[in-house]
Every structure is written in C-alpha cells, then in structure tokens.
Amino acid sequence: MTLSGGSIIAIKYKGGVMMTADTLLSFGRMARYRGFSRIRSFGDNTLISFTGDHADFTTLMEEMEKEIEHDVQQDDGVVLNASEIHTLLTRILYHHRSDMKPKWTYLIVAGSDKDGKSFLGYIDLYGTHFECDYTATGYAEDLALPMIRREWNPEITEDQAAALLQKCVKVCVARDCKQSSDIQFAKVSETGTSLSRPVKIDCDWSVASYKEIE
Amino acid sequence: MAEPVKLGTTIMSVKYAGGVILGADTRTSAGSYVANRVSYKISKLSDRIYCCRSGSAADTRFLADVTKTNLSMHSSIIEEPPLVRTAARLMRHYTYAYREHLSAGLIVAGVDEIEGPKVFQLPSGGSAIEIPVAIGGSGSTFITAFVDANYRPDMNKAEALQFVIRAISHAMDRDGSSGGIIRTVVIPESEDEEVAEEWHKTVL
C-alpha cells in the first residue's frame, strides 16, 4: 500500500486544453491527504498530472527537472514545449519499464505553444504513449470517456469544455470509491497556464428515497 | 472475474435516554466501483428492532431476512412483541454456525417492553455483546477515538442524532469504502412515538 493519486480527465477546446483532477492522495482505501494539488505546471506552457503511485511521480518529475535544467542552461532562448516533455517522459518511463522496475504512473501532458496550437498526450507505466483530443486516466477512463466521446467536437468552446468536464467529474464522484469531491480545474492556452482553487462537486441525491425489494 | 459486492461501510448504533438510534452510510462497492450510492444498510427485523449490516452484501441480506422470519414466527408463538435480546440471539445462531463461510459484521438494536432500549454488536466470528454504543464496518476505525471522546449516555434524541450524523460524516470523509448519504432510524422507547426513518447529507 502506497500513497496514490486518482483519476484525471483532460480535453482540448478551441484555444487550449483543460484538465481536471481531485485533490486527494489515497493510502489504500483511506483518504489520507486532502487539499493536495495533483496538477503540476511547467514553464508557462505545460501541465502534467498523474494517476498512480505518488512517490514514483515525484521521482519522475525530479528526473525531468534535471533535463529541463540542462536545457535552460543552454540559454539559447528555446525551452522544451509540451510535446517535447511528453517524448522525454515517454523515454524515461520506457527505460524504467525495460529495467523491469516500472514507475507505476499514468500521465497526462497538456500544453499550448505561442501560436495557440494545443497538445494533449498520454503516457503510461509501460511507455505506451499517444496524442489525442481528449483522454482520461484511472477510473475516469471507464466512466468519463464515453460521455466525452458523445459530446466532444473540435470547435468546443472553453465554457462548453468546462461544463462537459463538470458533468464527467460528477459521475466520477458518484461512482469511484477513491475519488474525492474537492476538484481542481486547470487550463493551458497561449496566454499561459492557470490552476483553479479546489471546488466542491456534489451529486444529486434525490434518488435516495427509492423503494427496496422487501 | 467480477469483484464481490461488499458493504465496506460505516455503521453505528447508540442508546440514548429514551431509545436507540441506528445510522449507516449508503455506499456499496464492487472493488473500486460504487455499485449503489444510496443503498439501505439498516434493515427492519420487527416493528421496534432493526439491524445495521456490514461485510458481504449478500451474506448480511440473507442473515437479516432469515432472522426477520424466525423472529416473526417466535413472536406469533409467544403472542408478544419480541425482545431485542432474542433478535440478537437468533442472528448469532447463524453467524456462529457459519463463521468460516460468512463475512458479516452486524449491529442489532431496538426497544422492547421488558428490557427497554438495547444495542447488541455481532462482530464477524459469531459472538454477540451488549453495549451502549456500537460502531462497525471499515469506516469505524477512523472514528473510534471520536466516539470514545464524544459519547455520553445521557444524550437526548436530538443530541444523539447529531452525534451519529457527525460520527458517520467523519468516517465517510476518510474511508474510501464509505460514502453517499447517512441513513438513520430512530426507535423511541415510548409506544406513542413512531419509528423515524430518514436520510441526511454529510455535515462535512
């Protein structure tokens, strides 16, 4: 049993990428640490979040920061963008997998460059990696992706994206044991990254008065 | 292979000055999936005796049904409302005989004319003990100290109800296997007052 993070959902909208994650680190079935932001922002143009082992994620971020530090020290005016960070993380994860010591994490990398071109990519503990318009990790893969597939289109606005994510998160809060109801929303666009304060998402409980079979 | 359906849970029952209150969360899980987020974990055994169920949803449902039936037959024979002690005894007969096969932690609580308000805890293993306040299920571990520090035997109905709702709210806050809303059943000692079955949102 180790400290772990839950689901993430991320979708592209017209102008950027939006991501949502709860603020909980679980220890087995116990909700151990609340109010913890699982979405990390890098530079002004990249967001990374994780499902899975927290210790492994922390180590991955440390390894990545070393690489970014080398890049910054080149001082050539060019910094790693989200797509390059995605590739870098893929290589690191695949390397650990090939040593039979995987970093047990499922990552989502989201970013936007100065031209407004959005990036969204997925990486898992095996080094499986792909780019996509929308994705999710953890339980949200089963609960949220079907809803997104029905409603997403490339012209979706920021407000529509936020509403769609709210809908998906409500289902996750209702149906995932390890999901907390304090949710953080984050977005990245050509103007930079922004992370919201945690918001409490509640379900509709009107179904509570149903009649059981005697 | 499908995950078994369990009542990873928080259940409790307290005796107050004038009756008993039973409380439970409403989350039924199959692995990490919430199969039912509004389930009923408090079952009626007789008019004034109810039980809280934790463990396997199937096992405890069976135990409650068979105890209800046996209790009803017994009550017809003696031509009196049954004792809470009898309900606990009848249930314990099964939880002890089949202890290797069952996964069930139960609380039986109610009122009767002879012994008044009573709470019995039947932990897995097949024993039965009578105590003034009982907590059970996976979420109970998180509120053991809270209950120890805050229970008072002289609470009135309103205080006892708030105590139960607060305790279960705290357990639900920490236990991934507990969640949803809080169902309560208030069983007053006086015949003039009705048994009240309600549900409440968490106070946290």
Side-chain angles (χ1 to χ4, degrees):
Chain A
M1 234 174 26
T2 57
L3 223 45
S4 60
S7 310
I8 327 159
I9 316 171
I11 59 180
K12 276 190 189 172
Y13 62 92
K14 198 162 169 67
V17 189
M18 203 176 282
M19 194 188 276
T20 173
D22 68 9
T23 56
L24 175 66
L25 289 178
S26 302
F27 193 72
R29 291 294 264 224
M30 179 188 176
R32 189 95 187 246
Y33 301 109
R34 281 87 57 90
F36 182 85
S37 174
R38 287 196 293 116
I39 304 177
R40 297 226 17 209
S41 93
F42 279 90
D44 224 3
N45 56 7
T46 311
L47 293 172
I48 308 178
S49 188
F50 80 103
T51 293
D53 194 272
H54 173 251
D56 283 346
F57 177 69
T58 313
T59 313
L60 269 177
M61 292 298 104
E62 283 168 8
E63 287 180 20
M64 203 184 74
E65 271 174 18
K66 273 195 220 143
E67 297 294 326
I68 291 181
E69 188 56 33
H70 285 152
D71 183 47
V72 165
Q73 280 171 0
Q74 300 292 331
D75 200 20
D76 55 7
V78 177
V79 289
L80 287 174
N81 65 26
S83 171
E84 287 160 345
I85 288 176
H86 179 251
T87 309
L88 175 57
L89 280 168
T90 304
R91 291 296 108 226
I92 295 174
L93 277 163
Y94 186 76
H95 169 78
H96 288 295
R97 162 263 192 201
S98 301
D99 285 341
M100 293 296 283
K101 289 185 201 157
K103 298 283 178 228
W104 208 283
T105 54
Y106 303 78
L107 303 176
I108 292 183
V109 179
S112 185
D113 60 32
K114 290 285 170 273
D115 308 326
K117 188 156 171 298
S118 305
F119 174 86
L120 182 58
Y122 168 105
I123 321 159
D124 72 11
L125 71 164
Y126 307 106
T128 314
H129 58 283
F130 52 83
E131 279 182 57
C132 43
D133 292 325
Y134 49 81
T135 188
T137 58
Y139 246 82
E141 271 189 83
D142 297 314
L143 297 172
L145 280 183
M147 296 174 76
I148 299 174
R149 283 187 195 116
R150 265 204 298 270
E151 291 194 25
W152 190 88
N153 65 75
E155 303 301 310
I156 192 173
T157 66
E158 190 180 324
D159 290 336
Q160 288 171 330
L164 176 55
L165 279 182
Q166 278 251 350
K167 223 165 91 166
C168 294
V169 161
K170 265 201 180 139
V171 174
C172 291
V173 168
R175 292 295 179 180
D176 180 3
C177 285
K178 294 178 173 186
Q179 171 91 17
S180 136
S181 52
D182 284 306
I183 311 291
Q184 192 174 33
F185 291 83
K187 66 177 200 264
V188 57
S189 61
E190 59 189 357
T191 53
T193 62
S194 86
L195 277 68
S196 78
R197 310 199 64 202
V199 173
K200 198 152 182 80
I201 303 283
D202 198 10
C203 317
D204 176 21
W205 294 106
S206 57
V207 75
S209 317
Y210 80 100
K211 285 265 160 269
E212 262 211 327
I213 301 172
E214 287 302 318
Chain B
M1 169 116 169
E3 305 268 5
V5 178
K6 303 191 81 173
L7 300 178
T9 258
T10 310
I11 51 172
M12 74 186 280
S13 180
V14 310
K15 190 160 60 170
Y16 69 94
V20 296
I21 301 182
L22 299 96
D25 75 306
T26 59
R27 177 170 288 184
T28 309
S29 50
S32 280
Y33 179 68
V34 179
N36 187 350
R37 63 185 174 104
V38 285
S39 41
Y40 286 91
K41 299 185 190 180
I42 307 176
S43 299
K44 185 171 167 177
L45 299 179
S46 76
D47 280 344
R48 296 262 155 175
I49 306 172
Y50 284 65
C51 72
C52 299
R53 305 180 291 112
S54 78
S56 156
D59 287 351
T60 58
R61 189 59 198 271
F62 169 78
L63 285 167
D65 287 349
V66 79
T67 304
K68 182 179 180 178
T69 305
N70 292 340
L71 198 63
S72 164
M73 288 198 298
H74 164 77
S75 180
S76 305
I77 292 167
I78 63 170
E79 291 176 3
E80 301 255 336
L83 299 182
V84 187
R85 184 173 298 279
T86 310
R89 189 80 176 265
L90 286 173
M91 198 167 243
R92 181 189 123 87
H93 170 78
Y94 287 93
T95 57
Y96 182 70
Y98 298 107
R99 63 192 295 191
E100 309 297 327
H101 306 280
L102 291 171
S103 167
L106 301 141
I107 300 173
V108 176
V111 294
D112 58 61
E113 278 175 7
I114 299 183
E115 293 186 339
K118 283 274 188 244
V119 174
F120 289 85
Q121 183 147 30
L122 282 71
S124 61
S127 46
I129 48 164
E130 202 243 309
I131 32 177
V133 56
I135 55 173
S138 55
S140 66
T141 55
F142 300 101
I143 54 170
T144 320
F146 175 89
V147 168
D148 286 345
N150 290 294
Y151 174 69
R152 288 180 350 262
D154 58 352
M155 288 192 281
N156 65 32
K157 189 200 296 193
E159 289 168 334
L161 187 59
Q162 273 315 298
F163 170 66
V164 166
I165 293 170
R166 269 179 78 205
I168 297 179
S169 297
H170 277 287
M172 279 164 43
D173 199 36
R174 286 292 191 177
D175 181 25
S177 308
S178 302
I181 49 176
I182 302 164
R183 293 201 193 271
T184 58
V185 176
V186 179
I187 309 176
E189 201 174 353
S190 155
E191 280 292 313
D192 302 326
E193 285 178 73
E194 292 281 305
V195 171
E197 296 180 31
E198 290 168 340
W199 66 267
H200 317 265
K201 295 197 68 176
T202 174
V203 295
L204 291 173

